[in-house]
Amino acid sequence: MLDTTSKNDGKEFIRVEHLKKYFPVHGGILQRVVAWVQAVDDVSFAIREGECLGLVGESGCGKTTVGRTMLRLIEPTAGSVIYNDTDVFQLHGDDLKAMRRKMQIIFQDPYASLDPRMPIGDSIMEGLKIHHIGTSKERWEIVMQTLKKVGLEDYHARRYPHEFSGGQRQRIGIARALALLPSFIVCDEPVSALDVSIQSQVLNILKELQKEMGLTYLFIAHNLSVVEHISDRVAVMYLGKMVELTTRTELFRNPLHPYTQALMSAIPVPDPHLHRERIILTGDVPSPLRPPSGCRFHPRCPVAMEHCHVEEPVFKEVSPNHQVACWRIA
């Protein structure tokens, strides 16, 4: 596991402030906006230089939307993303293009993000062409070097996506993100579709590259075991809101939010003689179209109070490096 001591005290690299992303719902004959899906609603956090921040939560909680909005693959509704003292949301034209070279993404489904009619060497080279990096020969050399970094060979560059396994295609996705030498990468569930044995290989590649190239990651996942393996700090989201943020060690040792505790109780224990009390949440996740008043988790929370139904809890620091949004936590 990674040592979090030095990274937790590192300087702030990216800061997300009051990020919101609402998607319009159209209806009626004129297809007017009749409602808004509150996918991400007032989320704030910071990522330190050289660290990996894990972002976890149930499907539909908004974690992928956070990552894509940070890179402006999706335009935000409100908020800001400060990258090295520059607000990414205020950039346009050539300035935005230059910033995108520094901020890349690894997609969950590499096959869907690769052109099936293009050899993977050309797919990796595409970003180099767009940013006018080097000559044709120099670009090809960069592609070869990048493929070797992710454990592939020169001859793979001439093959097409359908000729690779799922794990190899994810390595190609990593290579494409690395080709432009970024400093920040959003890893959008990069191992969720892979076999367990292949997952460990890809995670080890990401950790080695982080150490070698000084990369900073936002690692989006729903598998807490994977997050524990790679992350320095972990943020937990529920229904578009951040509910807990702390170091990986502290989160797995002392989860404070009832939702985090329920997630932790669902992690399989590899010892048949060790019993863990499972916290079963009742009911379904509310719709982001009409989120509940007060704390969004209160309809499913086993320890909800009357106040939780009325007022939204403040996301605050309750101990050093440990932030929680819950009325029961002092």
Side-chain angles (χ1 to χ4, degrees), residues 231-252:
S231 299
D232 300 301
R233 291 187 302 145
V234 183
V236 183
M237 282 188 70
Y238 181 80
L239 203 62
K241 292 280 189 181
M242 196 80 77
V243 297
E244 190 160 2
L245 172 61
T246 186
T247 63
R248 177 202 63 214
T249 305
E250 178 68 9
L251 189 82
F252 283 83

Side-chain angles (χ1 to χ4, degrees), residues 120-152:
I120 63 105
D122 292 346
S123 290
I124 296 171
M125 195 188 300
E126 206 168 17
L128 301 172
K129 289 181 179 178
I130 290 171
H131 289 275
H132 309 292
I133 298 173
T135 63
S136 179
K137 183 178 180 181
E138 289 169 341
R139 287 195 288 263
W140 193 250
E141 281 298 315
I142 293 172
V143 170
M144 296 299 105
Q145 293 168 12
T146 309
L147 284 174
K148 282 185 169 59
K149 283 183 179 179
V150 298
L152 296 175

Side-chain angles (χ1 to χ4, degrees), residues 284-295:
D284 297 323
V285 179
S287 170
L289 269 171
R290 297 178 185 83
S293 60
C295 174

Side-chain angles (χ1 to χ4, degrees), residues 85-144:
D85 300 322
T86 301
D87 189 347
V88 177
F89 294 168
Q90 299 302 317
L91 298 177
H92 303 281
D94 291 341
D95 292 334
L96 179 59
K97 181 179 177 181
M99 180 62 73
R100 280 185 166 149
R101 180 179 172 182
K102 303 172 186 176
M103 305 170 73
Q104 291 291 305
I105 184 169
I106 301 169
F107 293 99
Q108 179 179 359
D109 184 357
Y111 191 65
S113 64
L114 293 170
D115 188 337
R117 299 165 297 179
M118 185 182 290
I120 63 105
D122 292 346
S123 290
I124 296 171
M125 195 188 300
E126 206 168 17
L128 301 172
K129 289 181 179 178
I130 290 171
H131 289 275
H132 309 292
I133 298 173
T135 63
S136 179
K137 183 178 180 181
E138 289 169 341
R139 287 195 288 263
W140 193 250
E141 281 298 315
I142 293 172
V143 170
M144 296 299 105

Side-chain angles (χ1 to χ4, degrees), residues 28 33 51 65 83 85 98 112 121 130 135 147 179 217 231 242 246 265 270 281 310:
V33 176
E51 84 164 343
T65 304
Y83 175 92
D85 300 322
I130 290 171
T135 63
L147 284 174
Y217 291 148
S231 299
M242 196 80 77
T246 186
S265 74
L281 298 178
V310 180

Side-chain angles (χ1 to χ4, degrees), residues 168-180:
Q168 287 176 320
R169 284 198 288 264
Q170 195 55 277
R171 290 171 190 247
I172 295 164
I174 295 171
R176 188 171 56 178
L178 291 175
L180 293 171

Side-chain angles (χ1 to χ4, degrees), residues 200-218:
S200 61
Q201 294 175 18
V202 173
L203 290 174
N204 288 334
I205 288 173
L206 289 171
K207 288 171 66 175
E208 290 166 8
L209 290 170
Q210 183 184 25
K211 184 177 180 180
E212 177 187 337
M213 302 176 67
L215 297 170
T216 302
Y217 291 148
L218 174 66

